[in-house]
């Protein structure tokens, strides 16, 4: 009987290892985006949000996130690109989420949200006889959200929150592009 007690955990561990190795062989790390679709051109980001700095901050965050993530390579001329990422900031929202207990008219925390319409397409290769763009990701709307504190320095906090919100939106956009294929 004691031998049986020792074999049972060992057998369970072996079965679990076998099961996990089978699952791991089906899982692929990284992107499934083909190598010939990684040179991306990003035209000017359009801004329909009403927040003047939204497109500038999103552009900065998007370029930084693309370089950090490493799958896509930004090209400065569309003629050298194999893909194009079109982005329009469509909404900027800010709302109070909590208030001072002593003065219920005074917000202590805000939520900021940027929404963008995104379209990531594979550009046609004329040498291969392709005439039309092929959608990879989108068109769809994606959001980035962040909170910031109010109080006596609410304006400065708001200004520092926009880059962070743009960064979160950029991460969502890049994740969608490299994971969409």
């Amino acid at each position: 009987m004691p031998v049986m007690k020792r074999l049972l955990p060992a057998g369970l561990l072996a079965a679990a290892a076998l099961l996990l190795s089978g699952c791991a062989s089906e899982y692929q790390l990284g992107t499934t985006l083909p190598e010939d679709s990684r040179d991306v051109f990003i035209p000017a980001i359009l801004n329909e949000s009403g927040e003047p700095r939204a497109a500038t901050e999103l552009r900065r965050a998007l370029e930084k996130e693309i370089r950090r993530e490493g799958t896509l390579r930004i090209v400065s001329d569309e003629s050298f690109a194999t893909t194009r990422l079109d982005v329009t900031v469509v909404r900027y929202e800010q709302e109070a989420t909590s208030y001072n207990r002593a003065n219920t008219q005074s917000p202590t925390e805000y939520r900021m949200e940027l929404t963008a319409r995104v379209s990531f397409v594979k550009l046609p290769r004329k040498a291969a006889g392709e005439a039309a763009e092929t959608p990879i990701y989108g068109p769809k709307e994606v959001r980035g959200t962040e909170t910031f504190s109010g109080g006596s320095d609410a304006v400065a906090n708001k200004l520092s929150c926009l880059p962070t919100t743009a960064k979160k939106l950029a991460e969502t956009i890049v994740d969608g592009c490299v994971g969409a294929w």
Side-chain angles (χ1 to χ4, degrees), residues 104-117:
T104 58
Q105 300 299 313
S106 179
T108 57
E109 188 174 85
Y110 295 88
R111 181 185 62 81
M112 182 182 290
E113 182 175 281
L114 280 178
T115 305
R117 188 173 45 251

Side-chain angles (χ1 to χ4, degrees), residues 58-72 74 166-175 178:
L58 181 55
R59 175 76 181 213
R60 184 177 296 127
L62 196 54
E63 289 177 355
K64 188 174 183 178
E65 180 61 18
I66 287 171
R67 284 191 293 277
R68 186 204 65 77
E69 195 277 335
T71 300
L72 299 172
I74 300 170
K167 179 182 183 286
K168 290 194 174 187
L169 177 55
E171 289 170 352
T172 303
I173 292 170
V174 172
D175 284 348
V178 300

Side-chain angles (χ1 to χ4, degrees), residues 2 12 47 55 63 71-72 74 78 88 95 97 111 115-116 127 147 166:
L12 288 175
N47 189 0
E63 289 177 355
T71 300
L72 299 172
I74 300 170
E78 189 170 6
T88 302
E95 67 180 357
T97 57
R111 181 185 62 81
T115 305
T147 59

